[in-house]
Amino acid sequence: MKNNSERLVTALKQDPGNIQLLVEIARSFIGSNKAGEFLSLFELIYKKDKIQQLPPQLIFSIGQTALQCQRWNLACDLLSILQKADRSSPPLISPLSEALIKAGRLSDAKQVLKEAIHEQAKPDPELLTNLAIVLSESGDYDLAEKTYRQVIEIRPNEFLGHYNLGGFLRQIGRDHEAIQCYKTCLTIAPGAPEAQNQIDAITREAKKHTDASLQNARSENSILSEIYHLIEQKDWDRALNYIKINGNQLDDIRKHAAILELPQARQTLISNPDLYDPHLQVKRTQLFEPNDKILEAIASLIKSEESLIWNRAGKPTREGF
């Protein structure tokens, strides 16, 4: 015999217009920590035309649930329906923009946020913060910084604005300025662990990097000094043996540069001689003719792909690569 939940689900499939039944099922599933199952059921039963017939408050509640369950695309679809009638309300635009950002739809998030902020007499700090995130993710760091600072201008004595600016500055490598932001946080909320933890983390990383750099520099410089001393003396056998023993402590560029100083006969004893033959190492292949239309198509595709944004902080395209 079917249990009560199964009977309710069967009834809803037969009568999706029964709002009270939908609400009852939502409460039952979410109350039993099965929000994900409810959302899957909702997507199965309700297509776009049916969703638009639901009460706005119910669409909003389910959209919020989708956001909490990290069902970004579903949250975008639901909240975007409401955005057509309300383009500036922070309680709607904030979660919608968050869902769009999480879904990777940066251009959509930017448009939604700019439109909402433009409609407001006084920009909402939360929407400005989301816009700053979008601008940063899009690689527009100058405008992102101005937007973060605009939030601080509106609410100079609030912890979160300074903390978010500090996080942004740290992300783009301006650690010293980030520390000043976190220190401001501590003047607003003395002893706040979040800000102090960030200061401590930056300090530890800086010290670790400095110590490692000094140690590596001393080690490499000492090894290179001995190698080139032997090379200058044309003591090829000892130079070759020294590179064999200590070469793993050098980066590849310095190691191979030293090997190139050896006579060709010695190079073959330590590595593949083909590595040092420029005629074998440098090749050119023409895949397309200069006027091939496929080149324009590839360029257009790359430029429109939001995950390939130039100098996007913390992403694989850092420094344009």
Side-chain angles (χ1 to χ4, degrees):
M1 186 175 179
K2 293 182 178 180
N3 61 34
N4 188 51
S5 293
E6 290 175 329
R7 285 197 299 271
L8 291 174
V9 169
T10 300
L12 183 63
K13 288 179 179 178
Q14 294 172 349
D15 184 14
N18 190 330
I19 304 303
Q20 187 58 43
L21 187 57
L22 173 59
V23 172
E24 187 176 344
I25 291 175
R27 286 175 178 167
S28 175
F29 274 79
I30 295 172
S32 303
N33 294 319
K34 296 179 179 179
E37 291 183 34
F38 167 72
L39 293 173
S40 296
L41 176 66
F42 179 83
E43 286 186 288
L44 179 65
I45 297 176
Y46 292 91
K47 304 306 177 185
K48 189 171 183 180
D49 58 331
K50 291 183 179 179
I51 294 175
Q52 293 175 339
Q53 297 173 14
L54 297 175
Q57 187 55 47
L58 185 56
I59 296 175
F60 181 77
S61 296
I62 298 174
Q64 289 277 48
T65 301
L67 190 61
Q68 292 165 7
C69 293
Q70 300 183 10
R71 302 278 281 269
W72 313 126
N73 288 319
L74 177 58
C76 291
D77 292 342
L78 291 168
L79 298 175
S80 291
I81 292 173
L82 302 178
Q83 191 256 352
K84 293 176 181 177
D86 181 358
R87 298 184 177 273
S88 62
S89 173
L92 171 62
I93 302 303
S94 181
L96 172 57
S97 60
E98 181 184 347
L100 290 168
I101 292 169
K102 295 291 188 181
R105 295 165 56 180
L106 299 181
S107 57
D108 290 339
K110 186 177 181 179
Q111 181 178 344
V112 164
L113 286 163
K114 282 193 167 185
E115 185 176 350
I117 292 169
H118 179 74
E119 293 290 326
Q120 296 170 342
K122 185 177 181 181
D124 180 80
E126 188 172 353
L127 298 189
L128 284 173
T129 299
N130 283 1
L131 178 58
I133 292 170
V134 172
L135 292 168
S136 175
E137 287 287 291
S138 301
D140 193 346
Y141 299 142
D142 290 341
L143 192 52
E145 181 177 349
K146 289 179 182 177
T147 306
Y148 276 117
R149 294 190 183 279
Q150 188 179 354
V151 174
I152 293 174
E153 289 175 7
I154 295 171
R155 295 179 179 173
N157 298 318
E158 285 198 5
F159 178 96
L160 195 56
H162 295 279
Y163 187 83
N164 288 336
L165 176 59
F168 165 74
L169 293 171
R170 186 180 180 193
Q171 183 185 35
I172 61 174
R174 290 159 60 181
D175 287 350
H176 179 73
E177 294 173 76
I179 287 177
Q180 298 308 310
C181 290
Y182 294 132
K183 286 182 176 179
T184 301
C185 289
L186 292 175
T187 63
I188 296 171
E194 302 91 344
Q196 189 59 56
N197 288 343
Q198 292 295 332
I199 293 173
D200 294 343
I202 292 173
T203 304
R204 282 196 305 271
E205 288 176 9
K207 186 177 186 304
K208 182 179 178 181
H209 178 73
T210 301
D211 292 347
S213 296
L214 288 173
Q215 184 176 355
N216 289 339
R218 291 193 191 103
S219 177
E220 282 199 347
N221 288 338
S222 176
I223 293 170
L224 288 170
S225 177
E226 180 61 23
I227 289 173
Y228 282 102
H229 174 69
L230 294 171
I231 288 173
E232 287 174 4
Q233 293 181 333
K234 296 186 179 182
D235 194 341
W236 307 123
D237 291 330
R238 286 181 63 196
L240 175 65
N241 190 52
Y242 198 85
I243 294 173
K244 285 182 176 180
I245 295 172
N246 300 285
N248 62 342
Q249 299 182 53
L250 301 174
D251 67 57
D252 286 341
I253 293 176
R254 289 183 172 86
K255 177 181 176 181
H256 289 295
I259 294 173
L260 276 167
E261 298 290 340
L262 301 175
Q264 189 173 9
R266 262 75 173 191
Q267 293 174 9
T268 61
L269 297 176
I270 194 173
S271 185
N272 184 344
D274 290 348
L275 288 176
Y276 311 107
D277 185 342
H279 297 288
L280 295 175
Q281 286 300 308
V282 181
K283 296 182 179 180
R284 184 179 70 179
T285 302
Q286 186 163 334
L287 300 176
F288 307 105
E289 293 299 321
N291 59 349
D292 196 318
K293 290 184 178 180
I294 196 173
L295 296 176
E296 293 182 11
I298 292 173
S300 178
L301 181 65
I302 292 172
K303 289 177 181 179
S304 63
E305 172 53 55
E306 292 184 339
S307 67
L308 298 177
I309 293 166
W310 185 268
N311 279 354
R312 189 174 173 190
K315 301 296 188 296
T317 49
R318 192 168 32 199
E319 299 304 324
F321 293 95

